[in-house]
Amino acid sequence: MDMHVCRACRGSAGHLVLDLGEQPACDFFPRSDDPGPDPVYPLQMWLCSSCGLAQLLADPTVPEEPRGTEPAALVSQAADAVQRVAAAGWLPEGGVVAEYGSPHGGSWLQLLAARGLIPARSGGQADVIIDCFGMMHAADQREALAERAARIAPGGVLLLQYHALSTIIGCRQWNALRHGHYAYYSTTSLTAMLAAAGFSPRTAWRFELYGGTVLLAATRDGGGHDGPDDAVRSMFAEDAVIGAGDPGTFAGLQHDIQAHARALHGWLAAERSAGKTVMGYGAASRAVALLCHAHVDRILLPAVVDASPAKQGLRMPGTDIPVADPAQLAVRQPDAVLLFVPDLLAEVRDAFPEVEAAGGRWVDAAALGS
Ligand SMILES: [Zn+2]
């Protein structure tokens, strides 16, 4: 294999810290009548010894995810975030805003427009740049950050939202690793990246989304401003306690893969032996990795329900499990619905009361085996 060069600092010293083996592209959903086998690619995380950025080692896949339905949890988190950032005084009325969004959908621009911010010209300068799960999709992390930093007007702020690496480690979310997501930021490693671009973190907010999501505000150095506040420093401390920069920390995550897969397979087999019907919910990338590792097929799990019309008629990558319309929950009346996206629990219970009305229950797939 060619030597890997860090996507941020260009260092070549680092460790392979998480190896999910050969995996299908989690964003390519074959038609349900396509018998496969689906092409597979190595899926590995590398931790840079120089800057501490956890990153995807190689990505031979081409992104083609059918755009999903934006979960209500994401929409309400955005509203909460904008409210908190505004309350802290980071959203100047009449200021110019540019957004780097996620290819999976979701935009804050309407919320920001309602606060009196004005969209920037394409590629133009902005007082506020918001990047909500956008930058992780860039293969070249240094270039992506430099592009954002260059557009920030004097006195402006860069707002970066990311699923914290401390959450991935602490909540044993090994299946957060996926093709197309090139960077897994700790607040510490992101601060090193920002420093290389002449920026420093000033404050940060924490959200429950995905088990722990951070929104970091950074400004250009040399403005005579204060350094990182207590909120940022507490995140540095959390990174240190959890060992986000220590390759040894990831051994637990690697071990969790098999433990989690065995627990899922065992649970599904037991439900089947007991004559219970189980369906999945949420055809997300983390479901793909989990189902593939657990060798689950449609005998154990006859369908995964997903609200996205674009995924209907398709099947889960790497398995023969079809993606089904949510109407199937009422038709099949499953005894249990295995939820692959725990953030959705409140909204799916609300949206599909027929599941519990028929005596079924929602089960958090991430909690099996933990
Ligand atoms: Zn690096």
Side-chain angles (χ1 to χ4, degrees):
M1 191 185 70
D2 294 337
M3 187 178 65
H4 181 74
V5 173
C6 176
R7 298 180 185 279
C9 77
R10 311 302 193 226
S12 56
H15 296 86
L16 176 66
V17 288
L18 189 59
D19 190 346
L20 269 59
E22 300 276 323
Q23 289 295 302
C26 64
D27 52 7
F28 177 68
F29 287 73
R31 285 167 47 106
S32 54
D33 58 5
D34 175 344
D38 303 334
V40 292
Y41 314 90
L43 179 55
Q44 297 163 320
M45 183 189 279
W46 188 85
L47 184 70
C48 179
S49 298
S50 305
C51 73
L53 180 67
Q55 53 200 273
L56 195 57
L57 189 54
D59 190 2
T61 71
V62 179
E64 34 187 331
E65 182 158 12
R67 213 176 166 97
T69 306
E70 195 179 11
L74 209 57
V75 175
S76 70
Q77 188 273 337
D80 181 23
V82 168
Q83 195 273 326
R84 286 164 73 178
V85 173
W90 291 99
L91 299 178
E93 177 143 15
V96 174
V97 60
E99 180 179 61
Y100 286 85
S102 160
H104 311 307
S107 170
W108 294 18
L109 286 180
Q110 280 193 339
L111 292 164
L112 295 169
R115 297 256 172 198
L117 282 92
I118 299 155
R121 287 179 298 102
S122 171
Q125 293 254 298
D127 302 303
V128 177
I129 287 191
I130 169 71
D131 185 299
C132 183
F133 305 120
M135 197 163 73
M136 68 196 290
H137 297 91
D140 189 329
Q141 288 288 302
R142 180 163 78 179
E143 194 177 87
L145 181 57
E147 179 189 334
R148 287 154 178 76
R151 291 184 61 188
I152 296 181
V157 63
L158 175 61
L159 296 166
L160 289 162
Q161 175 158 301
Y162 51 96
H163 182 196
L165 182 61
S166 57
T167 304
I168 293 172
I169 297 168
C171 296
R172 305 165 69 174
Q173 297 167 340
W174 57 270
N175 49 344
L177 180 65
R178 55 156 286 177
H179 292 118
H181 288 181
Y182 294 94
Y184 302 83
Y185 310 103
S186 65
T187 303
T188 309
S189 66
L190 188 54
T191 296
M193 281 178 66
L194 286 164
F199 276 65
S200 296
R202 300 282 302 282
T203 189
W205 301 265
R206 197 186 295 265
F207 301 89
E208 288 307 306
L209 189 70
Y210 305 143
T213 290
V214 173
L215 176 61
L216 190 76
T219 60
R220 197 170 273 117
D221 293 334
H225 55 65
D226 303 332
D229 71 355
D230 287 348
V232 177
R233 282 200 292 264
S234 80
M235 288 168 194
F236 292 155
E238 188 178 310
D239 286 342
V241 166
I242 213 150
D246 173 7
T249 302
F250 295 78
L253 215 48
Q254 182 72 42
H255 175 263
D256 285 338
I257 299 172
Q258 287 315 315
H260 194 181
R262 265 198 302 272
L264 174 65
H265 195 279
W267 182 82
L268 285 168
E271 291 288 307
R272 181 174 149 73
S273 301
K276 307 284 190 194
T277 312
V278 180
M279 293 175 80
Y281 192 99
S285 60
R286 63 193 112 163
V288 174
L290 181 55
L291 292 171
C292 286
H293 276 91
H295 303 292
V296 175
D297 58 15
R298 65 195 305 168
I299 299 191
L300 285 176
L301 189 65
V304 173
V305 170
D306 195 276
S308 165
K311 288 179 184 165
Q312 304 307 318
L314 308 180
R315 64 169 168 79
M316 298 299 287
T319 81
D320 60 359
I321 304 168
V323 178
D325 185 270
Q328 289 299 311
L329 291 171
V331 175
R332 302 198 202 184
Q333 302 198 342
D335 298 293
V337 185
L338 196 56
L339 184 60
F340 292 108
V341 187
D343 290 286
L344 296 182
L345 182 59
E347 64 190 271
V348 291
R349 286 188 73 185
D350 246 27
F352 308 107
E354 60 268 30
V355 170
E356 286 168 295
R361 67 193 204 280
W362 293 92
V363 176
D364 179 357
L368 291 172
S370 64

